[in-house]
Amino acid sequence: MLHLRAVCPPERTEEALTVLRAHAGTAHLIAHRGVAVSPPGDLIEADVAREAADEIVDALCALDLDHSGGITLEAVDTALSDAADAAEEAAPGEGADAVVWQELLGRTGEESRFNATFLAFLAIACLLAAVGVLTDSAVTIVGAMVVGPEFGPLAAVAVGLVLRRWDLVRQAGTALAIGFPVSMLVTFGVVLLGSVTGLFDVDAVVNNHQVDFVYKVGPLSLVVALLAGAAGMLAMTSAKSAALVGVFISVTTVPAAGYAMVAVVAGNWLRFLGSLGQLVVNLIGIVAAAAIVLMLRRRVQRSPSMERPLSRG
């Protein structure tokens, strides 16, 4: 179940209540008259089945509540109620298979913004990858994969392409276009400093065979990227967030960026090019597979409100 809160002007309240009453996937409908302060109006609350949420939100957006008031959704971890059980039974489809498109837009929009936190995580992940390469530690490479925040913007690019939300594509593309080069430059500086001071022996990377998979790009690199992108988008659209950890561990974006900078300091240009190729293949593969998954799911669910500009709220 999802908990829905809608702030609406008084003249729209009855229409909104009619929408919610009419849908079988609604339970625990509550109306608070005149309690909203900014914007002024009424507050409506309800629990809705996940598989009904997209249709209900679209109907409320058709009343312009997303502009004249506000609509929020949050997950309900536990609902002990016969009414809630009946709503879930009455709503068509399965909750795990339902895509709440506005929720997806909001989530990817938030995770794709370029900010200091995103850049810090990406730089730390690239540094961890470089340390893993220098120490021949596959475990450290895995740690770098988990820390890396790049899947959010990649998923946002896929969402933006499929839904033709070019504002989201630009936002996510900016985060990736700035984040990776800056993080790689930071990694280059740290590795170079470590090499000059004797902390790192970059020439030893030639014999570090446990991490050779990072720079060895090939058809299987694309296969893994496609599978990871598909699994990641399935996890995001079906509320199976636990699966995302496995997706992070399977992609070789951050490790490739870190390895490329170690190779530059070592003067090994073949491995630099291989790592760069690995990075590009993974980025393209993830976005392509995620977009395909979204297109397939969109055949079943189509949402008119998805064409609206991305909210910054």
Side-chain angles (χ1 to χ4, degrees):
M1 297 291 288
L2 297 173
H3 184 66
L4 179 145
R5 296 172 71 252
V7 175
C8 57
E11 63 272 16
R12 291 289 192 182
T13 300
E14 286 304 321
E15 293 176 272
L17 289 173
T18 299
V19 167
L20 291 165
R21 286 195 193 99
H23 204 292
T26 301
H28 311 144
L29 181 58
I30 302 170
H32 305 278
R33 305 283 181 173
V35 298
V37 176
S38 180
D42 302 330
L43 173 64
I44 297 174
E45 296 186 79
D47 291 331
V48 298
R50 181 178 177 83
E51 53 269 42
D54 198 59
E55 184 179 344
I56 290 172
V57 169
D58 280 349
L60 295 178
C61 286
L63 298 176
D64 204 38
L65 296 192
D66 52 334
H67 294 127
S68 60
I71 303 169
T72 61
L73 288 170
E74 58 185 7
V76 177
D77 293 328
T78 305
L80 304 178
S81 165
D82 289 344
D85 294 341
E88 287 188 306
E89 288 292 332
E94 292 291 332
D97 296 332
V99 182
V100 184
W101 292 99
Q102 288 296 333
E103 178 189 53
L104 179 64
L105 283 168
R107 183 175 179 183
T108 54
E110 179 63 31
E111 294 182 359
S112 65
R113 292 176 182 169
F114 179 76
N115 49 47
T117 300
F118 173 82
L119 183 58
F121 270 114
L122 190 56
I124 291 170
C126 286
L127 287 169
L128 277 173
V131 172
V133 169
L134 289 165
T135 59
D136 199 24
S137 172
V139 173
T140 307
I141 293 290
V142 170
M145 293 174 173
V146 175
V147 172
E150 75 281 5
F151 186 78
L154 291 173
V157 170
V159 171
L161 290 174
V162 171
L163 302 184
R164 298 181 182 180
R165 293 291 298 269
W166 310 121
D167 54 337
L168 188 57
V169 174
R170 287 192 298 270
Q171 179 176 289
T174 299
L176 293 169
I178 298 176
F180 267 106
V182 171
S183 298
M184 291 170 73
L185 283 173
V186 170
T187 303
F188 171 78
V190 172
V191 173
L192 180 62
L193 180 62
S195 176
V196 171
T197 59
L199 181 62
F200 302 138
D201 181 10
V202 293
D203 294 327
V205 73
V206 177
N207 299 316
N208 292 351
H209 299 301
Q210 287 195 66
V211 295
D212 283 354
F213 70 92
V214 176
Y215 74 88
K216 288 184 177 178
V217 60
L220 286 180
S221 300
L222 179 60
V223 170
V224 171
L226 290 171
L227 292 173
M233 189 51 68
L234 277 173
M236 293 192 77
T237 55
S238 60
K240 300 290 185 182
S241 58
L244 284 175
V245 176
V247 172
F248 298 155
I249 296 174
S250 63
V251 295
T252 321
T253 48
V254 163
Y259 202 122
M261 294 301 94
V262 174
V264 169
V265 176
N268 194 323
W269 298 106
L270 285 178
R271 295 197 178 188
F272 165 74
L273 292 175
S275 300
L276 211 58
Q278 183 79 272
L279 176 61
V280 172
V281 165
N282 273 265
L283 293 176
I284 293 174
I286 291 169
V287 171
I292 290 171
V293 168
L294 277 179
M295 286 188 289
L296 292 175
R297 305 205 76 171
R298 199 183 180 206
R299 287 179 180 272
V300 179
Q301 287 179 277
R302 297 191 65 87
S303 174
S305 64
M306 290 186 296
E307 307 301 328
R308 298 169 182 247
L310 178 66
S311 172
R312 296 285 176 178

